[in-house]
Amino acid sequence: MLAAVFRGAGDIDVVELPDPVPGPGEVLLQVKACGICGSDVGAYKTGMYEPGIVIGHEIAAEVLEVGPGVEGWAPGDRATVNGVIPCGRCYFCRHGRPSLCEEVLMPGVNMNGGMATRMKAPAGALHHIPESVDDHAACLIDPLANVLHGIRRSRFKPGDRALVLGGGPIGLLTVQCLKLAGARAVYLSEPSPPRRRAGGSVGADAVFDPLAENLYIRLDELTEGEGVDFVFECAGVPATLKEAPMLVRKGGQVVILGICEEPVESDFMTVVLNEVEILGSYCGPEEYPAAITYLARGQVNPQSVISHVIPLEDLVSKGFEALAAPMPEPLKVVVEMPAR
Amino acid sequence: MRFGSWEYLVEVQRRTNADEKYRELAKDEHDSYTLVLEPEPAKGVERRIVVGFRVDGGEISEIWEGERPTDFTLSGPYGVWVDILVGRLGANAAFVMRKLKIRGNFLKLLKGADSTQRWLEILRTIPTEFEGVYARDNLPGREA
């Protein structure tokens, strides 16, 4: 099989590897397409994944072969693989927090993933992809599940107002989900002009350029001085993380979905005086079914997020290099796997 | 000079940068500020005033009218700004009592209390005309 192997920071190779063989309870998949996640790009910049791993956890695939003891799956079934495979035994699994599992397996992070023509996965980690969700859209199931997890963990309720910081795929999906969830208004702040345009197209009520506009003044105007109830930090960069607690109204909640690999200086005095809540949210293993339903019903528009579809051979040049740029042009890049 | 006008800002910059004591107190400050003076139509203040400036090592290096992204944004009713300027309300008290909305590193702002106090003393030397009912508080000004 062909596979994209992570070697270290700035080093990903597409190489020939032996086909995996499914063991008991496992399934062999023919991967059709795989999205490049922001955390993959982060690893490409910083080297935070395990060297030697096959990357990729936003997977659209078809079952090729089932191992002994697998039920409910047959060759030809379309499937995606949950990005979090919890142990089911640790304290957090037993308390309903699989995204905090202490023995977690994560395809493309600490076990071989789906940026390859083939992969094997535990059958229990698979979800059926319905007919109405094409292979490209199926690559959004994982990031959409992440977003839904963050919103579900928050105190958000219909009628609330939110500011989304960062107009990448996670930010754009957050805008769409908050609107679907009944937000009174959702605003987006994003420095890149194409991403701001995308924000408008997915329904943001106002879109700001933080490099040219004073967000505090804009938000005061739009909310008649009340401020936004929520800030969803989806950029994962120090500047937005630092600013988020100051942008939310007093008593509001900051939900952090972006992963920042750098230390961030923050003003905790404002957090205390304004009784701001800060909430982290990681992955969304339990939200995969809901994400699939949203996509199947057409409630989330995949075309608004997927900007580029590239072949595997262009993974580094047109995928990682383009996404690692300081103000990247692509939004979600989906990689199509060759049929072999 | 009309409070918040361009002419006023220019004079603020001139007098601030001529003040040795302020320069010393603010020598480590490198921050930009937006000040928003909210209208109070019932009191004869009809329009919002938004001005900005940047402090670099004890000098005001740049002034502007209108909005920009800045390190700090301080906003409040026109009358609160008048109260602070004429000395009826301390700046830090205004921050802590939420008379002003503060956006920016709150602790950093409070730590700059001495330079803020000196700056207000400088501003009080500028002949200043206020809008509406606040004209009663006009400052005659004097040479710094």
Side-chain angles (χ1 to χ4, degrees):
Chain A
M1 69 173 186
L2 272 178
V5 177
F6 182 77
R7 305 289 187 199
D11 192 358
I12 292 172
D13 277 343
V14 177
V15 297
E16 194 75 44
L17 292 178
D19 279 359
V21 177
E26 292 181 331
V27 168
L28 178 66
L29 298 166
Q30 173 84 47
V31 181
K32 300 291 187 177
C34 186
I36 300 176
C37 174
S39 57
D40 295 334
V41 179
Y44 183 71
K45 288 178 180 172
T46 65
M48 69 178 178
Y49 285 175
E50 287 291 316
I53 214 85
V54 176
I55 60 168
H57 59 271
E58 298 177 352
I59 299 158
E62 189 177 296
V63 174
L64 266 183
E65 191 182 327
V66 297
V70 171
E71 292 181 0
W73 291 95
D77 286 348
R78 297 175 69 232
T80 189
V81 184
N82 202 310
V84 171
I85 304 175
C87 72
R89 298 180 303 274
C90 74
Y91 173 89
F92 296 102
C93 286
R94 285 186 281 111
H95 288 80
R97 302 293 298 274
S99 58
L100 303 181
C101 172
E102 295 189 321
E103 301 288 337
V104 69
L105 290 174
M106 304 178 85
V109 177
N110 63 3
M111 64 177 273
N112 282 343
M115 196 65 79
T117 50
R118 294 185 181 186
M119 77 173 285
K120 70 172 181 179
L126 302 188
H127 301 266
H128 286 279
I129 301 174
E131 280 300 309
S132 57
V133 179
D134 67 27
D135 289 336
H136 296 170
C139 295
L140 294 183
I141 294 168
D142 177 82
L144 184 54
N146 289 5
V147 167
L148 293 173
H149 185 63
I151 294 172
R152 283 183 172 180
R153 276 182 50 66
S154 77
R155 288 191 282 102
F156 178 86
K157 59 187 185 309
D160 285 337
R161 288 187 278 222
L163 169 68
V164 176
L165 298 176
I170 293 291
L172 295 175
L173 291 170
T174 301
V175 170
Q176 294 182 65
C177 289
L178 288 170
K179 295 290 283 185
L180 280 169
R184 177 174 169 190
V186 183
Y187 311 116
L188 174 70
S189 172
E190 164 59 49
S192 155
R195 289 180 174 212
R196 282 202 301 278
R197 283 194 292 277
S201 76
V202 299
D205 293 280
V207 182
F208 313 123
D209 176 0
L211 302 180
E213 296 176 87
N214 187 309
L215 265 56
Y216 306 113
I217 294 178
R218 290 276 83 78
L219 291 172
D220 264 358
E221 287 169 350
L222 290 163
T223 64
E224 294 169 334
E226 291 180 359
V228 289
D229 307 291
F230 290 86
V231 170
F232 283 82
E233 201 291 323
C234 301
V237 296
T240 47
L241 283 162
K242 185 177 173 180
E243 201 154 20
M246 297 184 263
L247 286 163
V248 77
R249 70 158 167 76
K250 283 187 276 187
Q253 194 174 43
V254 175
V255 183
I256 301 174
L257 299 178
I259 294 177
C260 182
E261 291 105 9
E262 299 167 60
V264 181
E265 180 187 300
S266 195
D267 171 22
F268 281 98
M269 192 163 181
T270 294
V271 172
V272 172
L273 294 185
N274 289 354
E275 296 190 345
V276 170
E277 292 179 41
I278 298 178
L279 179 76
S281 179
Y282 186 48
C283 303
E286 293 171 296
E287 284 77 10
Y288 265 58
I292 292 167
T293 301
Y294 270 45
L295 287 163
R297 290 179 181 165
Q299 290 170 300
V300 170
N301 175 12
Q303 303 314 318
S304 64
V305 179
I306 298 169
S307 63
H308 292 65
V309 177
I310 62 173
L312 182 60
E313 66 243 37
D314 291 340
L315 175 71
V316 173
S317 62
K318 293 184 179 169
F320 280 91
E321 284 297 316
L323 288 166
M327 210 181 279
E329 188 207 329
L331 285 163
K332 174 61 67 187
V333 176
V334 167
V335 182
E336 284 191 327
M337 299 301 148
R340 51 179 290 183
Chain B
M1 281 160 231
R2 184 68 64 182
F3 183 47
S5 65
W6 179 250
E7 180 191 24
Y8 180 81
L9 283 181
V10 170
E11 190 60 15
V12 167
Q13 184 179 32
R14 188 185 74 77
R15 294 199 186 207
T16 304
N17 291 352
D19 190 86
E20 285 300 325
K21 190 172 175 186
Y22 177 79
R23 188 192 301 269
E24 176 58 25
L25 289 169
K27 67 184 178 196
D28 296 325
E29 294 178 16
H30 298 274
D31 296 302
S32 54
Y33 296 82
T34 297
L35 309 184
V36 183
L37 288 61
E38 296 291 356
E40 296 180 80
K43 294 181 178 176
V45 183
E46 299 294 338
R47 66 185 183 94
R48 184 164 72 166
I49 298 169
V50 182
V51 297
F53 61 93
R54 178 169 182 83
V55 175
D56 276 308
E59 282 197 6
I60 294 182
S61 55
E62 194 181 2
I63 54 174
W64 60 85
E65 290 178 301
E67 68 172 84
R68 291 183 189 178
T70 47
D71 299 313
F72 293 94
T73 299
L74 285 65
S75 61
Y78 187 93
V80 171
W81 290 101
V82 174
D83 284 348
I84 293 169
L85 190 54
V86 301
R88 275 196 294 267
L89 178 64
N92 269 17
F95 301 156
V96 175
M97 292 163 63
R98 317 295 179 93
K99 297 283 186 183
L100 292 176
K101 277 189 187 172
I102 309 297
R103 279 71 168 257
N105 189 319
F106 199 82
L107 185 58
K108 198 173 179 182
L109 198 66
L110 292 182
K111 281 184 170 175
D114 288 348
S115 60
T116 303
Q117 187 54 41
R118 178 60 187 169
W119 191 56
L120 288 169
E121 289 168 10
I122 297 166
L123 300 195
R124 285 177 196 132
T125 68
I126 300 173
T128 306
E129 294 169 15
F130 298 111
E131 312 258 345
V133 299
Y134 300 106
R136 67 189 175 216
D137 293 316
N138 284 351
L139 297 172
R142 59 182 165 79
E143 272 311 303

